Amino acid sequence: MEEIGASPQHLGHFRTLYLLTLLIGVLLIALVGGWIGTHLGGLAWQSNPSVQFNWHPLLMTFGMIFLYGNSILIYRGLRLTRKRTLKLTHATLHGLAFLAVVIGLKAVFDSHNLATPPISNLYSMHSWIGLAAVILFSAQYVVGFITFLLPGLNQQLRETIMPYHILFGLIGFVASGAAALLGFSEKISFVLGHKYENLPAQGVLVNFIAFFIIIFTTLVIYLTTETRFKRQPLAEDAILLTGQNE
């Protein structure tokens, strides 16, 4: 079943790039997990604060890069799915990302506060940009839930808010990618020090992680903003969650 008004050639290109984006996202998470398991001592909680930190890069990459990106793409990736289902899926992925972020932030604050001596919080460029991305992401989630899922809001107001919701969602996603790059660069510099200059295996691995973050982020932005790939409304989209005509 081809989408009405969409070029089969364009849809073929989209499907190829969408699948590539998903594969890169999965590979990214696998590389981060491999780095943590092989070079950083695995995972722990408050009994070992320095290792507890490792939850932070894993969960923030999973939540603020992988899930966030897939949530953005959901409307185009599942273009033949009813809009009601897409809205709920979009909100669910955002909710899972938010849960991952909360645990990831708890891990990094614990690892700093429980260290001997304690490590300062929120002093680096990574932490400032990362916190801004999390705040924007959280605000987007709340505004989006109230605007597009709860019944009763005027349809004209929803249409007015939508472009800003999309814009700030993309800004937050790009900020998340930037924060991740700064965070991985900061961590590998702490771990390797001057050894990083010799580009050992761990340094090469983290550099590849950075490349995959850039590629994944770029593909998500491209697939989301390219007008040729825009999802065409289905007949079923005329019915909103409220049961009123859209």
Side-chain angles (χ1 to χ4, degrees):
M1 176 180 179
E2 293 293 350
E3 188 177 346
I4 296 175
S7 164
Q9 182 180 12
H10 291 161
L11 282 178
H13 291 162
F14 173 83
R15 288 166 183 152
T16 300
L17 290 174
Y18 182 58
L19 178 60
L20 178 63
T21 304
L22 293 177
L23 291 175
I24 289 174
V26 171
L27 180 58
L28 173 61
I29 300 303
L31 288 177
V32 174
W35 174 50
I36 289 170
T38 303
H39 298 284
L40 300 184
L43 298 169
W45 201 239
Q46 293 180 342
S47 60
N48 191 340
S50 64
V51 178
Q52 182 184 7
F53 170 87
N54 296 341
W55 283 105
H56 180 70
L58 180 62
L59 290 176
M60 299 305 280
T61 303
F62 180 65
M64 291 297 287
I65 303 292
F66 182 74
L67 288 180
Y68 196 169
N70 278 284
S71 178
I72 290 173
L73 283 177
I74 201 73
Y75 284 96
R76 295 191 174 193
L78 302 181
R79 58 182 59 242
L80 296 181
T81 303
R82 293 183 63 180
K83 196 169 185 180
R84 174 185 304 179
T85 303
L86 291 176
K87 286 182 177 182
L88 293 173
T89 305
H90 180 74
T92 300
L93 288 177
H94 265 60
L96 292 174
F98 181 77
L99 179 62
V101 166
V102 169
I103 300 173
L105 289 178
K106 169 69 172 171
V108 71
F109 280 114
D110 277 355
S111 70
H112 286 181
N113 297 333
L114 298 177
T116 306
I119 301 171
S120 299
N121 292 303
L122 301 177
Y123 67 88
S124 67
M125 189 183 302
H126 160 66
S127 63
W128 283 34
I129 295 176
L131 186 61
V134 168
I135 291 172
L136 182 55
F137 169 81
S138 303
Q140 279 281 104
Y141 186 57
V142 172
V143 171
F145 189 88
I146 293 173
T147 304
F148 303 109
L149 280 180
L150 293 183
L153 196 66
N154 181 272
Q155 181 60 22
Q156 185 176 358
L157 181 58
R158 290 180 174 176
E159 293 173 356
T160 300
I161 292 174
M162 176 60 78
Y164 299 100
H165 181 67
I166 294 173
L167 173 62
F168 285 107
L170 293 176
I171 291 173
F173 180 64
V174 171
S176 298
L181 292 175
L182 289 170
F184 281 109
S185 177
E186 182 180 292
K187 180 62 177 178
I188 197 64
S189 296
F190 287 159
V191 171
L192 293 180
H194 289 297
K195 295 179 182 178
Y196 192 20
E197 299 172 3
N198 300 320
L199 208 59
Q202 183 177 180
V204 173
L205 176 58
V206 171
N207 285 356
F208 270 110
I209 288 172
F211 268 118
F212 282 121
I213 289 173
I214 293 171
I215 295 170
F216 181 80
T217 304
T218 300
L219 284 171
V220 169
I221 298 299
Y222 173 66
L223 292 175
T224 305
T225 58
E226 174 55 64
T227 55
R228 294 176 302 169
F229 301 151
K230 186 177 171 130
R231 175 185 181 271
Q232 300 298 319
L234 304 177
E236 294 89 343
D237 291 345
I239 305 299
L240 288 174
L241 292 178
T242 59
Q244 299 173 350
N245 288 338
E246 190 169 20

